[in-house]
Amino acid sequence: MADKAYITPNVLKWARETARMTEAVAASKVLVSVEKLIDWEKGIQQPTIKQAQTLAKVYRRPFALFFLPEIPRDFQPLQDFRKKDAKPLGTASIFIIRELQQKQAWIRDVSIENGQTKLPFVGKCSILDHPEKVASNILETLAINPANYQSDHPIKEWIKAAESKGIFVSRTSFIHSKLTLSADEIQGFALVDPYVPFVFVNSEDWNAPQLFSLVHELAHIWISESGVSNDITAEINDKDKFHPVELFCNQVAANALMPLEVMNAINTIVFKNSSDVYKIAKTLGVSAFALLFRAFQLKLISLNDYNALKSEAEINYQSFIEKESEKKLKQKESTGGPNPYLLRLNKNGRLFTQLVLDAFKGGVVESTQASLLLNTPVNKFSFLEAQLYR
């Protein structure tokens, strides 16, 4: 008979509930009935060691945690800045938030031990400042000029600039192949810390909305407001449904990505047809919708022109999505999809990956912990590191 795991029942239940997992889903993971799982959580019966280990993996908690005498102190839940009618955060969202909180806690301790000073831009501004002022400070601090990107991938330039200043950036759309993140549920979040601020961007969407989300989350860092976001966009109609912090950060993002001087320099002829609008939007790394709304706000185009061009942009957007889907499908068929180590690098973040690898090589962190931090077996570190220099 298999050995029993004499876990603490209420800790087992807490682990499931904090993973936002129903009893039915959890029971299916260990191939037992819901009734049996409930008995484990009540202490009427005990799972086997193997079953308890499986649940620890499913809940993404250390196995030893189940044996604590009482529920442990956990990371504080993030402020929810999403719309009032947003659906509750699911398991995938909870797991990515917790994962980055754990990474932040580790790197924060290391940074402070190494004499890291507080970053001057964290909390430098507030929601009482003008969005244009905050946007200008972000651009100045990161040394970015939206009128003069050096490549066709502005988002990569923004991430590189942010990480060069000590901001940890994570991008992913999945926890694993069977647990994905929905942009309708979560587009991004910010974990404010004066030493090691983290921002997360859901990469389910294409690059333009990802870039807007990234700069939106950077604004959260500048005004020192940790929290979860979705419906991040330049165009907001039902303002009463949005948290004031979200409205402010959207305005900051619009001002940073499409500064007034850049918008005023655009020849108004551009706003005569959607093709030219798309070309300008692409050079700025934003969507045609964001550019049109910004132009309308600045009175560079009339309401009639805005509505007409927006309708054309919606048609072009659907065509773009279809082409992108076909392109991704062909890529997957021919190459098997994106390099898994590149995906892992984006999820961990380049800055975080480099620091963990350096700590591992320097003997500061043991192999087991380094492997857990990077979600990669030690004997595969070379594949992960190779992506840093691509």
Side-chain angles (χ1 to χ4, degrees):
M1 188 175 180
D3 291 335
K4 296 292 185 179
Y6 291 92
I7 48 85
T8 306
N10 63 333
V11 172
L12 185 69
K13 183 178 181 180
W14 165 84
R16 176 181 59 77
E17 291 178 338
T18 55
R20 302 290 172 88
M21 200 169 291
T22 64
E23 295 161 339
V25 170
S28 71
K29 300 295 183 180
V30 283
L31 305 177
V32 299
S33 67
V34 172
E35 290 73 23
K36 185 175 281 287
L37 181 81
I38 292 174
D39 282 348
W40 293 346
E41 293 183 347
K42 290 182 176 179
I44 297 172
Q45 296 185 52
Q46 293 79 36
T48 65
I49 290 175
K50 184 177 180 180
Q51 288 169 330
Q53 288 174 331
T54 299
L55 286 176
K57 186 176 181 180
V58 168
Y59 300 155
R60 300 181 85 82
R61 296 285 188 180
F63 177 53
L65 179 143
F66 288 167
F67 298 90
L68 294 176
E70 56 187 39
I71 294 172
R73 181 181 178 184
D74 200 12
F75 290 105
Q76 291 297 312
L78 285 181
Q79 170 79 28
D80 193 342
F81 289 122
R82 301 175 308 148
K83 286 198 303 185
K84 296 174 183 177
D85 57 355
K87 66 178 182 179
L89 294 176
T91 299
S93 297
I94 294 300
F95 281 175
I96 193 63
I97 291 170
R98 189 196 302 162
E99 181 177 324
L100 290 196
Q101 286 176 324
Q102 290 169 338
K103 289 178 177 178
Q104 185 183 55
W106 177 81
I107 200 69
R108 186 180 197 276
D109 290 342
V110 172
S111 298
I112 292 176
E113 286 176 9
N114 291 337
Q116 167 80 36
T117 57
K118 292 183 178 180
L119 299 173
F121 54 80
V122 177
K124 182 173 184 177
C125 304
S126 80
I127 196 172
L128 299 178
D129 289 314
H130 195 284
E132 187 176 352
K133 173 191 171 185
V134 182
S136 295
N137 192 261
I138 291 174
L139 292 172
E140 181 182 352
T141 301
L142 302 186
I144 286 180
N145 179 6
N148 189 31
Y149 288 124
Q150 302 302 304
S151 71
D152 294 330
H153 301 285
I155 189 168
K156 291 184 178 180
E157 295 185 37
W158 273 87
I159 291 173
K160 183 177 180 180
E163 292 189 325
S164 72
K165 295 299 180 180
I167 302 170
F168 293 80
V169 181
S170 169
R171 282 198 302 160
T172 191
S173 60
F174 64 93
I175 302 300
H176 50 68
S177 59
K178 295 181 180 179
L179 192 58
T180 58
L181 290 154
S182 168
D184 292 333
E185 183 178 304
I186 182 171
Q187 278 182 271
F189 60 83
L191 301 176
V192 178
D193 184 272
Y195 297 96
V196 287
F198 273 66
V199 297
F200 169 78
V201 174
N202 187 343
S203 62
E204 180 191 44
D205 222 329
W206 55 296
N207 279 350
Q210 282 187 55
L211 177 56
F212 201 93
S213 293
L214 172 64
V215 182
H216 173 105
E217 299 306 337
L218 291 177
H220 275 268
I221 300 297
W222 254 256
I223 63 171
S224 193
E225 288 282 1
S226 296
V228 183
S229 308
N230 78 334
D231 290 296
I232 301 171
T233 176
E235 182 181 9
I236 297 293
N237 295 318
D238 302 324
K239 291 188 177 183
D240 58 312
K241 291 184 178 180
F242 288 80
H243 193 287
V245 167
E246 290 298 271
L247 293 172
F248 182 82
C249 290
N250 279 344
Q251 290 178 320
V252 172
N255 275 276
L257 292 167
M258 298 168 283
L260 180 60
E261 59 271 21
V262 172
M263 295 298 296
N264 285 333
I266 297 175
N267 192 318
T268 53
I269 296 176
V270 166
F271 297 109
K272 296 301 180 182
N273 67 81
S274 59
S275 296
D276 289 340
V277 170
Y278 173 76
K279 290 176 184 176
I280 295 297
K282 187 176 181 181
T283 63
L284 293 175
V286 300
S287 69
F289 301 108
L291 180 61
L292 286 171
F293 188 68
R294 179 79 168 134
F296 173 64
Q297 280 188 316
L298 296 174
K299 299 185 178 358
L300 298 178
I301 57 174
S302 67
L303 178 60
N304 287 337
D305 286 343
Y306 168 71
N307 287 329
L309 287 167
K310 183 183 176 185
S311 296
E312 289 182 36
E314 286 174 348
I315 296 172
N316 293 336
Y317 174 70
Q318 291 304 319
S319 176
F320 168 81
I321 292 298
E322 290 174 7
K323 289 179 181 177
E324 285 296 299
S325 297
E326 290 175 4
K327 189 188 300 182
K328 287 181 180 179
L329 182 60
K330 289 180 180 178
Q331 181 187 35
K332 188 173 182 179
E333 290 174 346
S334 61
T335 66
N339 186 305
Y341 293 98
L342 176 59
L343 295 177
R344 205 168 299 176
L345 177 66
N346 289 336
K347 181 182 178 184
N348 292 327
R350 289 177 177 269
L351 177 58
F352 185 82
T353 299
Q354 185 68 74
L355 289 174
V356 174
L357 288 175
D358 288 346
F360 170 67
K361 292 176 183 177
V364 176
V365 58
E366 295 181 355
S367 58
T368 302
Q369 187 177 20
S371 179
L372 288 172
L373 287 168
L374 297 177
N375 301 299
T376 305
V378 175
N379 63 354
K380 302 295 184 182
F381 277 4
S382 59
F383 295 102
L384 192 61
E385 188 170 22
Q387 295 301 317
L388 283 169
Y389 306 106
R390 289 177 64 87

